[in-house]
Amino acid sequence: MNQERCAIGVIGMAVMGQNLALNIARKGFSTAVFNRTTAVTEKFHQERVQGEPVFPAKTMEEFVALLEPPRKVLLMVKAGEAVDAFIGKLILLLQKGDLLIDAGNSHFTDTDRRIAEAEKQGFLFLGTGVSGGEAGALHGPSIMPGGHERGYLLAGPILEQAAAQVDGGACCAYLGPRSAGHFVKMVHNGIEYAFMQALAEGYDLLHKVGGISTSRCADIFGEWNTRENLASYLTEITAAVLSHHDEDTGKPLVELILDQAEQKGTGKWTTQTALDLGVPTPLINQAVMARSLSSYSGKRKSLSSLYPTPLPVSNDSPDKDELIKDLEQALFLAQVCAFSEGFQLLESASGEFGYGLDLSTVARIWKGGCIIRSALLPHIEHAYSKLHPPLLLADPVLVPRIREALPPLRKVVALAAHHGVPVPCLGAALFSLDSWGAGILPTNLIQAQRDYFGAHTFRRRDKEGVFHEQWEKGDAQ
Ligand SMILES: NC(=O)c1ccc[n+]([C@@H]2O[C@H](COP(=O)([O-])OP(=O)(O)OC[C@H]3O[C@@H](n4cnc5c(N)ncnc54)[C@H](OP(=O)(O)O)[C@@H]3O)[C@@H](O)[C@H]2O)c1
């Protein structure tokens, strides 16, 4: 293939970078590629490039020379130091007006810093979330760019063609200034954590309380995936995972996998940011904590003999069909609550950081390609484009469905508690819904306690103003 000036360059030839580069090249955009370790680029070019306009470079100088000005460089490398290291090298080689796209999972505050630095040097910068895993990167991910809008004018046409296409539209849109794109991707991952944990809790209940085999659980998740309540990529892959058997033992592979969930940090960042912004995200928090707790396998093992399961399954098994029906509704509500938390966090951050996010657009570009794509998203897109409910939970179309699903969720959480099966996310969904809907919460007592020991004052239901009470009247005299 003749060498030509490339429309874009991709740095980072691990799984995501390779697949995204191939995807972009297959859309007809010539693509230069570079990796810190040259052998990785060479292997990729030899083994995976089959006539696509992909041009490998051995050095950064060679890579930059391959690019058509204004140059567009997409970084798909490990978040953190690697991104700064590459930016440091690139700004010595690029020219003013060239565009840097950080498409990894960078923390949004790093992106703000990098955008400010790029601006000083005269470069354009897009902090861009990419979701869909390796298959999404190859066949069409959901792409969440934010930063310099002029940068999006340069790279948007390429990114939009590489993105998943749903209902004739690309799952890619300019989301807002500064770190808007990486913030949206972070929240996407937080929602992902919550829904994954809820699905795992559903499997645990079917298995341990319902006494249902893993293979049958796979069928149940497969059936759920065909229905409006739960149709989603995560439900689909849960069915696929549960039906997968280990070649050596013939057992369902999931039963042989250690129950210690790892994390790269995006869920934790979502929780940390929600705490900073004062937005309640109990499901996401519980999902992060559940992974953390799972990693303490030794301590869990020693405690499991101290606290045996309250009720063995055989003593008190529920009706299986009823459990399956109730769980479908409970998992639907967990999904609604997770999305509601995520969108509330996005709305709050949009105001706080001036992102100007269009929540309907966020829902639209999550409809295809990404890990949290779900039958619920077209509805969320519609809700935020037309009605803009104060909370997703208050959306008039969802309210009847939430009301219908609430009693089954209550039953499921009670059943789990009865049998000693931990359901932190399903529990958080129930307690969160109960808290939002309670009308009056016991936080009046907390205000009184605060005032008692710290003179923090309180407001009253029956009078305007701020009050402090002499709680210990005898002592005060
Ligand atoms: N994997 C996924 O499903 C997924 C999904 C969405 C987003 N992401 C994000 O996309 C980015 C890429 O993910 P990935 O899984 O493909 O790869 P990764 O394992 O996160 O990163 C590996 C890549 O980063 C390079 N790298 C690591 N440390 C470096 C350093 N100090 N200096 C220069 N280069 C360095 C590696 O180069 P060498 O080959 O030389 O080591 C390799 O190209 C990450 O930010 C990730 O969080 C991943």
Side-chain angles (χ1 to χ4, degrees):
M1 192 180 299
N2 289 331
Q3 190 161 310
E4 54 184 279
R5 287 288 190 112
C6 294
I8 191 165
V10 176
I11 292 182
M13 288 293 107
V15 54
M16 292 296 286
Q18 285 194 17
N19 283 356
L20 196 61
L22 278 177
N23 174 2
I24 290 171
R26 285 174 189 170
K27 300 296 172 341
F29 299 102
S30 51
T31 306
V33 294
F34 178 81
N35 193 66
R36 175 182 62 171
T37 310
T38 308
V40 176
T41 318
E42 284 169 351
K43 190 167 187 288
F44 161 65
H45 195 246
Q46 279 160 16
E47 293 179 5
R48 297 198 62 199
V49 178
Q50 293 172 339
E52 293 94 347
V54 172
F55 298 91
K58 286 194 172 72
T59 65
M60 294 278 287
E61 288 77 9
E62 202 184 308
F63 172 78
V64 169
L66 281 170
L67 302 175
E68 177 75 25
R71 295 163 194 81
K72 297 169 272 301
V73 177
L74 187 146
L75 291 164
M76 195 45 124
V77 294
K78 199 172 159 124
E81 281 173 18
V83 178
D84 285 318
F86 272 116
I87 292 174
K89 287 177 189 156
L90 282 164
I91 55 175
L92 302 174
L93 299 168
L94 296 174
Q95 288 173 9
K96 287 187 194 311
D98 287 347
L99 168 67
L100 288 162
I101 306 166
D102 172 17
N105 277 339
S106 292
H107 193 284
F108 72 97
T109 54
D110 282 340
T111 302
D112 282 328
R113 171 179 56 78
R114 289 170 187 145
I115 288 183
E117 283 166 12
E119 222 163 75
K120 274 193 220 148
Q121 309 265 1
F123 298 106
L124 298 169
F125 197 103
L126 288 173
T128 300
V130 175
S131 171
E134 53 182 308
L138 185 63
H139 301 296
S142 172
I143 306 183
M144 295 153 248
H148 292 126
E149 201 163 5
R150 276 199 300 130
Y152 191 72
L153 293 177
L154 294 180
I158 300 175
L159 298 178
E160 287 179 17
Q161 286 210 45
Q165 309 292 319
V166 172
D167 305 331
C171 291
C172 171
Y174 175 74
L175 293 176
R178 298 181 296 284
S179 53
H182 274 143
F183 194 96
V184 169
K185 175 61 180 6
M186 177 188 77
V187 173
H188 162 289
N189 284 26
I191 296 169
E192 177 185 306
Y193 269 56
F195 197 32
M196 286 169 76
Q197 173 65 26
L199 290 167
E201 291 170 15
Y203 163 63
D204 211 22
L205 282 169
L206 289 173
H207 201 52
K208 289 189 186 148
V209 177
I212 297 170
S213 72
T214 297
S215 299
R216 173 70 189 117
C217 287
D219 297 338
I220 294 165
F221 278 89
E223 284 158 29
W224 283 342
N225 190 45
T226 63
R227 294 216 276 277
E228 170 75 12
N229 270 347
L230 286 182
S232 70
Y233 173 74
L234 284 170
T235 309
E236 178 190 326
I237 65 157
T238 303
V241 164
L242 294 174
S243 66
H244 193 90
H245 286 75
D246 174 49
E247 276 190 14
D248 293 340
T249 61
K251 290 183 177 169
L253 181 58
V254 72
E255 292 179 8
L256 303 171
I257 294 177
L258 270 183
D259 59 345
Q260 296 169 36
E262 295 179 4
Q263 44 188 326
K264 281 192 170 173
T266 45
K268 180 185 78 176
W269 297 344
T270 311
T271 282
Q272 287 173 327
T273 309
L275 291 173
D276 288 343
L277 292 175
V279 176
T281 54
L283 273 85
I284 297 172
N285 303 355
Q286 286 298 338
V288 174
M289 295 304 154
R291 289 197 194 189
S292 301
L293 194 150
S294 80
S295 67
Y296 290 91
S297 59
K299 288 187 167 72
R300 285 197 286 124
K301 200 165 172 208
S302 52
L303 284 174
S304 68
S305 58
L306 297 178
Y307 304 116
T309 310
L311 279 180
V313 172
S314 52
N315 288 1
D316 192 12
S317 291
D319 177 272
K320 283 182 193 172
D321 292 337
E322 203 177 305
L323 173 64
I324 294 165
K325 260 173 45 194
D326 288 345
L327 253 180
E328 180 186 339
Q329 295 278 27
L331 290 172
F332 162 70
L333 269 193
Q335 193 190 181
V336 171
C337 287
F339 274 119
S340 184
E341 288 179 8
F343 277 88
Q344 193 188 357
L345 182 54
L346 289 178
E347 186 156 27
S348 168
S350 185
E352 184 73 21
F353 304 135
Y355 291 147
L357 291 177
D358 177 342
L359 298 182
S360 172
T361 298
V362 173
R364 181 182 71 72
I365 66 170
W366 284 352
K367 284 195 303 182
C370 77
I371 303 291
I372 57 171
R373 61 187 186 260
S374 140
L376 204 53
L377 278 161
H379 177 73
I380 299 175
E381 178 191 8
H382 181 263
Y384 281 112
S385 67
K386 299 275 186 255
L387 308 164
H388 205 98
L391 267 188
L392 194 58
L393 298 176
D395 174 60
V397 181
L398 277 181
V399 167
R401 289 176 69 186
I402 294 173
R403 286 168 69 110
E404 187 192 335
L406 197 46
L409 173 65
R410 211 174 285 292
K411 269 171 69 186
V412 163
V413 173
L415 188 74
H418 191 58
H419 286 277
V421 175
V423 286
C425 246
L426 291 173
L430 177 62
F431 303 143
S432 159
L433 282 161
D434 281 346
S435 297
W436 283 113
I440 292 176
L441 292 168
T443 28
N444 50 353
L445 178 56
I446 290 169
Q447 281 299 83
Q449 291 162 336
R450 293 178 72 243
D451 189 58
Y452 187 107
F453 62 69
H456 291 301
T457 74
F458 54 87
R459 284 174 290 126
R460 297 176 57 123
R461 290 174 202 190
D462 56 345
K463 297 182 206 172
E464 285 296 316
V466 175
F467 299 89
H468 168 57
E469 180 71 6
Q470 285 301 125
W471 295 95
E472 293 174 288
K473 291 216 159 69
D475 294 350
Q477 285 163 4

